[in-house]
Amino acid sequence: MNAKTVKIGLIGYGTVGTGVCRVLSENADVIRARTGLNLDLARVVDKDTQSPRPFVLPGGVLSSDLDALLNDSSIDIAVELVGGTTFARELVLKLLASGKHVVTANKALLAEHGPELYRAALKAGRCIAFEASCCGGIP
């Protein structure tokens, strides 16, 4: 069976972002077998691209260029892991407007701006997924 490729962009390559990248990489075969999807981590954006991380990305994936991710129409899903509510709100609105579905682990963002973000997602015909914001500790 040929798996459909879904391109992912991730914003925030700190502790949680590094963990997400590791899980996607180490479990790629299992995810493909269970879902029929090949999850391709196409871009990772972080303001700090120099600090060593416990998970090393392939060359060219990590950058500080958020606009490159926003303008990349091949990216289907964006994972928001920046935390806080001000920049994260603006970011999620831009991601939705650029045609990307959004996954977030940001409880505060959803508590403070959830209705506005869900209206924007509905208007854009996109989804906001948030299981990690309420069930992050469940294996």
Side-chain angles (χ1 to χ4, degrees), residues 22-64:
R22 179 187 304 277
V23 167
L24 289 175
S25 175
E26 292 177 356
N27 296 294
D29 293 337
V30 172
I31 293 168
R32 188 178 310 105
R34 290 182 182 171
T35 66
L37 299 173
N38 179 40
L39 301 182
D40 175 19
L41 188 59
R43 292 185 186 268
V44 175
V45 176
D46 196 274
K47 61 185 175 185
D48 174 10
T49 61
Q50 301 303 313
S51 294
R53 308 287 199 315
F55 181 78
V56 178
L57 293 166
V61 173
L62 178 62
S63 86
S64 60

Side-chain angles (χ1 to χ4, degrees), residues 68-76 98 100:
L69 189 151
L70 287 167
N71 295 323
D72 186 340
S73 62
S74 74
I75 294 180
D76 304 293
S98 73
K100 291 154 186 41

